[in-house]
Amino acid sequence: MEESGAYPKSDKVLTSLLLGYLVNSFTPKFGEIIRCTSLQKTTKVPVAVSMGSVMAERAYDMLILGLGIFAVFCFEMDRLQGIFESTIGGISHIYGYRYLYVIPIAVLALFILFLISLRRIKKSERRPIKKIVEFLQSMFLSLKQGLLLKKRFQFILLTLLIWTMLVVLNYIYLLCLPETSGYPFSFAIVILFIGGIGWALPSPGGIGTTHFLLLQLFLAFQLDPNAGISFGILSNGLTFIGTIVIGGYGYFRYRVETKTLKKQ
């Protein structure tokens, strides 16, 4: 966010972040919007600026997740190919094979239409439309500046630390269950990136999507499926409870901060 010239206080950013986590636990990623709107109320940082910063943050998250998935597939292609086939097969069984080709074509067509419409919209003199255009321009400028990264070394170091801690956390979950306590540390890495697909999908707290992928992962490695279900319930359940606790604390902080601003 500093790349866009906004310097909100760290405690205010933390409050909005925790509040966003809380909302994400019950909604499909709507917490990102709440995170930006709550930050605007407590720091006056425009929503467009914080939204662009969040988009840059998520872009780097997806990049790391994608690289991790690619690396895992390179080492475990024979086993993990079954997950891809079963996932695609399940979707095609529900919606039909033809939709697998229609959806990406439709998305591409909508994107092209959006670009064409945007050029025309920019020339409009209507006030509501001009406001929307200004918002989008500010958001994409913030996104572009956020991707440049002023503090590259610090960002890379903290990113590596975060993902390393996530691997360690998954390994601790494996050690907690008698059925998985003997699994190697490398399996925790596989769990992180394959299970991370479920977290990246627009589902409340990764519930359902993560459990499905973890079950498929355990089956692909010819492990006890019940252990996969238990691991999913343990890891996702503890994460959900932890998010509710810290998110509730974030909501309390937000209420206090907004009341303080009203008195000023």
Side-chain angles (χ1 to χ4, degrees):
M1 199 174 298
E2 293 180 0
E3 289 81 2
S4 302
Y7 296 89
K9 292 183 179 180
S10 299
D11 60 332
K12 300 294 191 298
V13 176
L14 176 62
T15 299
S16 64
L17 181 64
L18 297 180
L19 192 59
Y21 285 160
L22 177 64
V23 176
N24 275 342
S25 298
F26 300 98
T27 63
K29 307 305 180 184
F30 291 160
E32 309 302 343
I33 299 174
I34 299 299
R35 175 180 169 183
C36 298
T37 54
S38 62
L39 188 64
Q40 190 272 334
K41 290 183 179 180
T42 56
T43 65
K44 305 303 180 184
V45 173
V47 173
V49 173
S50 56
M51 187 69 73
S53 179
V54 170
M55 290 174 64
E57 179 185 320
R58 291 292 169 260
Y60 279 112
D61 285 341
M62 293 303 296
L63 174 63
I64 296 169
L65 179 62
L67 291 174
I69 294 171
F70 177 76
V72 167
F73 264 86
C74 286
F75 287 101
E76 300 289 352
M77 174 61 76
D78 294 337
R79 291 173 172 174
L80 297 180
Q81 187 176 1
I83 296 180
F84 178 78
E85 292 175 351
S86 63
T87 303
I88 297 299
I91 295 173
S92 63
H93 178 73
I94 297 173
Y95 298 104
Y97 281 100
R98 62 183 180 276
Y99 288 99
L100 296 179
Y101 303 98
V102 171
I103 291 174
I105 295 174
V107 171
L108 179 61
L110 288 173
F111 181 71
I112 294 173
L113 288 173
F114 171 75
L115 293 178
I116 295 172
S117 301
L118 188 61
R119 294 184 63 182
R120 294 183 178 180
I121 290 173
K122 285 182 179 180
K123 299 178 181 179
S124 176
E125 295 298 327
R126 295 182 180 179
R127 185 173 178 79
I129 295 179
K130 289 182 70 174
K131 286 287 186 181
I132 295 173
V133 171
E134 289 173 0
F135 179 89
L136 291 175
Q137 288 177 334
S138 180
M139 183 179 68
F140 284 116
L141 178 61
S142 177
L143 169 61
K144 179 182 177 181
Q145 292 170 335
L147 293 173
L148 295 177
L149 295 176
K150 284 184 178 180
K151 302 177 181 178
R152 291 184 179 85
F153 177 76
Q154 183 179 352
F155 176 83
I156 293 172
L157 181 63
L158 290 175
T159 299
L160 290 175
L161 179 61
I162 290 171
W163 284 87
T164 301
M165 293 305 297
L166 288 173
V167 174
V168 172
L169 182 62
N170 277 313
Y171 186 61
I172 292 174
Y173 288 146
L174 289 174
L175 294 177
C176 289
L177 294 173
E179 304 94 325
T180 60
S181 59
Y183 293 174
F185 185 80
S186 59
F187 189 61
I189 300 176
V190 178
I191 286 177
L192 173 63
F193 289 108
I194 300 303
I197 300 173
W199 282 101
L201 293 173
S203 63
I207 298 174
T209 53
T210 305
H211 295 84
F212 171 77
L213 288 168
L214 287 175
L215 177 59
Q216 297 301 316
L217 178 62
F218 274 67
L219 290 173
F221 276 74
Q222 297 181 343
L223 301 173
D224 185 3
N226 292 323
I229 295 173
S230 299
F231 179 87
I233 294 174
L234 175 65
S235 60
N236 199 278
L238 289 179
T239 301
F240 181 78
I241 293 172
T243 303
I244 296 301
V245 172
I246 64 172
Y249 171 65
Y251 178 73
F252 172 77
R253 285 174 59 111
Y254 175 71
R255 295 287 295 180
V256 171
E257 289 172 2
T258 51
K259 285 184 179 180
T260 302
L261 288 172
K262 288 180 181 180
K263 293 179 180 179
Q264 292 177 353

